[in-house]
Amino acid sequence: MMKSLLFVALVGGGVLGCASGGSGGNGTERGVVSDSSPSQSADVLTGNWNLATDPPLQMPGLRMRVTIDSARGTSFFGRLTFYFSGDVGGDLNAFEPFVGAIDQEGGVAFTINHHDPAMLGIAVVGQLVRDTILASTFVIGPDTITQSSERSWLFLREKRRRY
């Protein structure tokens, strides 16, 4: 268990370090790039992002949505707003709000920590392409799903309804 926890902590730190274009130590705090960076603005990420796969998972599968509420510079702020694994819903209150980062090439990274430090969270590293985040690394708890799967894992922006 401790080995898995250490892995997610390292991945989580590396996730934000990669998204900020470095390994830290350059005036950034918690892996978030400062607003004076020439990187892409995180404003493009605000909204709801639903997990999808290619090829699609058979239902009930894994269903997840993150909501990015706001952005400032290259940092964005969000929360887990829907989480089902199979036919079991996850307790959304068990997860902390998160801070993520986007770099000038559209690299996106965020880690959603569990309130209980003994429980492992969720980490995503990917590339923003239009309204899709293509996950190159997707970690849920002790499992790195992108390494153990023949699927592509994506987060698709939910289309906004116009009234």
Side-chain angles (χ1 to χ4, degrees):
M1 177 65 145
M2 186 56 118
K3 189 175 185 180
S4 295
L5 187 60
L6 180 59
F7 172 74
V8 168
L10 290 173
V11 167
V15 163
L16 289 176
C18 290
S20 65
S23 58
N26 60 357
T28 63
E29 186 172 331
R30 303 182 89 191
V32 178
V33 178
S34 71
D35 290 339
S36 62
S37 170
S39 298
Q40 181 170 336
S41 171
D43 289 333
V44 299
L45 294 168
T46 58
N48 294 317
W49 295 84
N50 294 301
L51 180 66
T53 61
D54 184 25
L57 285 173
Q58 297 217 349
M59 292 314 262
L62 176 63
R63 295 174 288 159
M64 179 184 300
R65 179 177 54 239
V66 295
T67 299
I68 298 175
D69 297 306
S70 63
R72 185 171 144 231
T74 58
S75 299
F76 56 88
F77 310 89
R79 57 201 159 85
L80 183 65
T81 53
F82 188 83
Y83 182 58
F84 261 74
S85 181
D87 58 357
V88 178
D91 179 9
L92 299 176
N93 293 320
F95 294 91
E96 298 177 3
F98 63 87
V99 177
I102 186 170
D103 67 22
Q104 64 189 20
E105 288 85 32
V108 174
F110 58 93
T111 300
I112 305 170
N113 293 316
H114 200 281
H115 282 296
D116 180 351
M119 300 298 291
L120 303 175
I122 301 164
V124 176
V125 177
Q127 185 70 34
L128 178 64
V129 179
R130 291 182 217 76
D131 285 344
T132 303
I133 299 171
L134 306 168
S136 56
T137 303
F138 182 38
V139 178
I140 296 181
D143 301 317
T144 304
I145 297 177
T146 46
Q147 292 178 352
S148 62
S149 173
E150 299 285 321
R151 313 185 180 288
S152 296
W153 294 83
L154 327 157
F155 282 86
L156 303 174
R157 182 191 306 272
E158 195 172 281
K159 302 291 184 208
R160 295 181 186 187
R161 295 182 191 157
R162 295 186 185 222
Y163 297 99

